[in-house]
Structure formats: C-alpha cells, structure tokens
Amino acid sequence: MIELKFNIEGGDFDRAGTASSETKKVLKQLNIDPRVIKRTVVALYEGEVNIAAHAFRGEVIVSVSDHQIQAILKDEGPGIPDISQAMLEGFSTASSKVREMGFGAGMGLPNMKKNADQLQVESVPGSGTTVKMIFNF
Ligand SMILES: Nc1ncnc2c1ncn2[C@@H]1O[C@H](COP(=O)(O)OP(=O)(O)OP(=O)(O)O)[C@@H](O)[C@H]1O
Ligand SMILES: [Mg+2]
C-alpha cells in the first residue's frame, strides 16, 4: 500500500492543487486506469480547494491499495452546519475573496459526489470537517 500526505493552509490558493497534482503523478506511475486517475484528481482538487477556501488548515491522506484509492481530507475550521444543504448544486457560502479567486459556484461537493464511488462528509460545527472518498478500480 502507498500512502501520501499533504498539509493545506486556509487561504493558500497558490498551493491548493498540490495534493491532487502530486497524487496524479503517483497514480500515473502506478499505471492506474486514466479514467480512474481523472475522477480521483478532480474530486481531490475540489476537496483540497474547499480546505483552502473554507477552513483554517487541514491534512489530506491518500492511500492506494490493490483495487482502491482512499482519500481522507480532515480540516480544522468552521465545519458545515447543514451537510445536505452544502451538497446541493449552487449552494455556497464562499467569501468575496474566495469568489475573486474564481471559486464559489457551489459545485465542488456535488462534483466530488459524481466522481467518487463513495463520499462521506462528517462535520462538527465550530471544529472541523472530515471528507472520505473511495475510488474503486
Ligand atoms: N471543508 C469545509 N469546511 C467548511 N465548510 C465547507 C467545507 N467544504 C465545503 N463547505 C461548505 O459547503 C459549501 C459548498 O461547497 P462546494 O465545494 O460545493 O462549493 P464552494 O466551495 O462554495 O464553491 P466551488 O467548489 O464551486 O468553488 C461551501 O460554500 C461551504 O459553505
Ligand atoms: Mg468548493
């Protein structure tokens, strides 16, 4: 099993994208189906941008085993008070600063759901959010 770990700082949009691009390189080296790589990288990118956009800091752990990629994105931040509302296409609480960076369409979580085989979002308001995604191949 291969494990990759990345730290993400809230507000750091210069580095948001590192976890997904580094993961992409490793998945390519492992000769994983390009369609699976694409789904994983798209979902991971949305997840890491969410930490940069909405949380204070977080950690991304990607584990690759024989037939599965698992991604855990755990952050310290304000949390999500209503997860089903957050999952709706177009729902966003992004700040004006985040919108200026080109984010805030409210499409990240719906996109993660579409691309992952399993998506689990757990959050404690006032404390943080943990997102788990599984991609099978
Ligand atoms: N890690 C997080 N911590 C706190 N709130 C979050 C987090 N991830 C998502 N949210 C909340 O869920 C909402 C919807 O997230 P989603 O990724 O779908 O859209 P967005 O980030 O606002 O915009 P987009 O992803 O399209 O740029 C966010 O606006 C925010 O309120
Ligand atoms: Mg988002």
Side-chain angles (χ1 to χ4, degrees), residues 16-110:
T18 306
S20 48
S21 62
E22 291 298 314
T23 297
K24 185 180 186 174
K25 284 183 203 160
V26 173
L27 297 180
K28 276 187 175 174
Q29 282 162 6
L30 293 170
N31 278 319
I32 289 170
D33 182 340
R35 290 169 296 184
V36 175
I37 297 180
K38 192 168 183 190
R39 291 197 286 126
T40 305
V41 169
V42 166
L44 202 52
Y45 177 74
E46 293 292 356
E48 65 176 316
V49 169
N50 275 354
I51 297 176
H54 307 297
F56 309 142
R57 69 189 65 81
E59 185 183 54
V60 175
I61 300 174
V62 179
S63 323
V64 187
S65 54
D66 263 2
H67 289 286
Q68 195 174 79
I69 301 159
Q70 188 190 68
I72 297 176
L73 300 93
K74 191 175 166 55
D75 71 53
E76 293 164 35
I80 304 176
D82 183 340
I83 292 169
S84 36
Q85 184 182 42
M87 293 301 307
L88 295 172
E89 291 188 3
F91 177 84
S92 178
T93 62
S95 65
S96 49
K97 191 192 157 222
V98 169
R99 288 174 195 275
E100 273 167 32
M101 301 295 300
F103 303 104
M107 292 306 292
L109 283 169

